[in-house]
Amino acid sequence: MDANLTRIVQGGGTTRILDLYSITRAHKHDLDFDQRPVFKNPKLNHSFLIKHTVRPHERALMSVDAAVVTKVIIPVSIDDLGMGGHSLFVEERRGLAKLRLFLDLTVEGGDNIDDDLTRLRELAKLPSFDPFLLADRFLKHERPVDPRYLQIAPKERKAMQAYVARQIAGVVGLAFGRENLAEDDARAMKFAVEIIEGNDTAKMNALRQTLGMTPEEFADGMYGWKGVLYYRWKLHDATDRLRKFVIEMDDVIIRGVTPSERQQINEIQRLILRETRQRWAALISVLDGFQQEFDRFCSSGNAETIRDFLLKADSYFYHLGSDLSALSHVTSYWEYWWRHRDPDSLSARDAMEIFPAFLRSLIRDRGDGVPKVLVT
């Protein structure tokens, strides 16, 4: 049983938490909202889904060997989150029996939840819950979800506004007839809010005409642009932590290590750093490619290339979300691990526990140069 759930309320989606409770409650009076739910079961559609780093004592519960699993928390009362909730892991053994119990279903019968179980497994396979990765998977799904489930959480929307304003200052001039605008101009901030919120304004229409797009193309293009800006902001926000992780991983002293352990640990460290840099490079390649086209558009006004990029931007979302979530996982867990420990050294036992977990999170193909100790 999880205690007071108010601390995990997000009001929308983040990379780690999908707050279906808040979204469902916010739109419960919208006439068409319940036509495309994430889950058919009302209790499940008021749940919280969390990407959770597996702790050592939890590994025996799991049916899979994974560094990150998906936790489902079902509130005891949708009217009082202070009463806590029932929780389970999608990947745990006997999870189905536990879920049926929490949903007041019998093991043998009750409501048919096959579609919801399929959806749970689909969500569990995703590396994160960022709204653009979810949209890539579920907006055009054979069982699509309402777009209102795929909104950026309010705290994240507010946090990214200033960054987005700086990024788009050049294009604001085009929307305002090429006036000279400073990066912190109030109009740039207002325009950033309109992009993030998806508002349809006269300035947006002016930009659509500049880009030579139909209304449908412009809607798709703006969504793609918002996604790219979201990932650029996330990457910018994670850069210092990632740099710190790479330095500390490279410099950490392992205590009490035997010669054979030293060889293994050195190899795992090498692979962790290699995979970290490769995922970072993949992110930078896509996002910098967009920025180059964006800068060219701002300087020349030639809309053809940026228009094409915007229209295909959503095809990058899954890979961007996967790379970013993998990097965020290792850096956040690394910080969590050191919270009450000596930051300069690590015991051989601890290194052999957390380093393989990091590599499992980072590596795309376990068969590609992974020591046997990592896949047992």
Side-chain angles (χ1 to χ4, degrees), residues 19 52 59 84 90 108 113 132 157 172 197 213 235 267 318 323:
D19 175 5
H52 173 88
R59 289 177 184 163
V90 177
E108 293 80 15
I113 61 167
F132 296 96
R157 287 204 303 270
V172 177
E197 300 293 340
M213 289 175 145
L235 189 61
E267 177 64 4
Y318 182 81
D323 288 332

Side-chain angles (χ1 to χ4, degrees), residues 85-255:
H86 304 292
S87 65
L88 63 106
F89 298 109
V90 177
E91 298 85 352
E92 74 176 89
R93 297 183 178 88
R94 294 191 55 76
L96 173 59
K98 188 182 291 188
L99 179 62
R100 289 181 178 275
L101 177 64
F102 295 161
L103 298 178
D104 295 330
L105 307 176
T106 65
V107 175
E108 293 80 15
D111 294 337
N112 188 323
I113 61 167
D114 289 348
D115 287 344
D116 283 348
L117 294 179
T118 298
R119 175 58 51 84
L120 266 178
R121 295 186 188 103
E122 290 171 341
L123 288 164
K125 288 178 181 178
L126 294 178
S128 86
F129 291 137
D130 87 59
F132 296 96
L133 194 154
L134 291 176
D136 172 69
R137 187 52 55 96
F138 295 117
L139 277 184
K140 298 178 181 178
H141 192 275
E142 61 182 14
R143 187 183 147 203
V145 304
D146 192 288
R148 284 167 285 191
Y149 286 106
L150 311 177
Q151 299 299 311
I152 305 171
K155 288 182 181 179
E156 292 209 332
R157 287 204 303 270
K158 185 174 181 180
M160 71 182 282
Q161 283 172 8
Y163 176 78
V164 169
R166 292 193 298 272
Q167 292 293 305
I168 68 170
V171 83
V172 177
L174 295 173
F176 282 95
R178 293 191 175 277
E179 298 174 20
N180 292 322
L181 297 174
E183 284 192 343
D184 61 348
D185 191 284
R187 287 170 293 186
M189 176 63 80
K190 185 177 180 180
F191 201 43
V193 173
E194 290 170 350
I195 291 174
I196 294 169
E197 300 293 340
N199 295 337
D200 184 9
T201 66
K203 292 187 294 295
M204 284 293 187
N205 189 53
L207 180 58
R208 179 183 70 79
Q209 293 175 346
T210 299
L211 290 170
M213 289 175 145
T214 66
E216 293 76 16
E217 288 175 334
F218 187 68
D220 291 342
M222 285 300 96
Y223 185 78
W225 191 14
K226 183 164 66 171
V228 170
L229 290 167
Y230 173 85
Y231 287 118
R232 284 187 67 85
W233 168 67
K234 279 288 189 181
L235 189 61
H236 173 79
D237 191 52
T239 297
D240 288 343
R241 294 195 303 275
L242 185 59
R243 186 180 293 115
K244 183 173 182 286
F245 166 74
V246 169
I247 293 171
E248 291 180 350
M249 173 63 65
D250 202 28
D251 293 345
V252 67
I253 298 170
I254 309 300
R255 305 188 310 270

Side-chain angles (χ1 to χ4, degrees), residues 7-115:
R7 61 186 174 80
I8 60 174
V9 170
Q10 304 293 315
T14 69
T15 54
R16 182 169 173 264
I17 299 176
L18 178 56
D19 175 5
L20 294 177
Y21 170 87
S22 294
I23 300 168
T24 302
R25 297 272 286 182
H27 298 287
K28 64 181 179 181
H29 297 303
D30 297 357
L31 295 179
D32 60 341
F33 182 67
D34 62 355
Q35 299 303 305
R36 290 175 290 170
V38 174
F39 297 109
K40 295 178 180 179
N41 183 280
K43 287 188 176 182
L44 203 50
N45 214 49
H46 282 81
S47 66
F48 298 88
L49 276 67
I50 302 173
K51 288 299 179 182
H52 173 88
T53 300
V54 179
R55 308 294 190 253
H57 69 276
E58 295 168 339
R59 289 177 184 163
L61 298 174
M62 305 301 164
S63 60
V64 297
D65 179 23
V68 179
V69 294
T70 299
K71 185 176 186 179
V72 182
I73 303 179
I74 301 170
V76 171
S77 169
I78 62 173
D79 296 315
D80 183 5
L81 293 182
M83 294 180 64
H86 304 292
S87 65
L88 63 106
F89 298 109
V90 177
E91 298 85 352
E92 74 176 89
R93 297 183 178 88
R94 294 191 55 76
L96 173 59
K98 188 182 291 188
L99 179 62
R100 289 181 178 275
L101 177 64
F102 295 161
L103 298 178
D104 295 330
L105 307 176
T106 65
V107 175
E108 293 80 15
D111 294 337
N112 188 323
I113 61 167
D114 289 348
D115 287 344

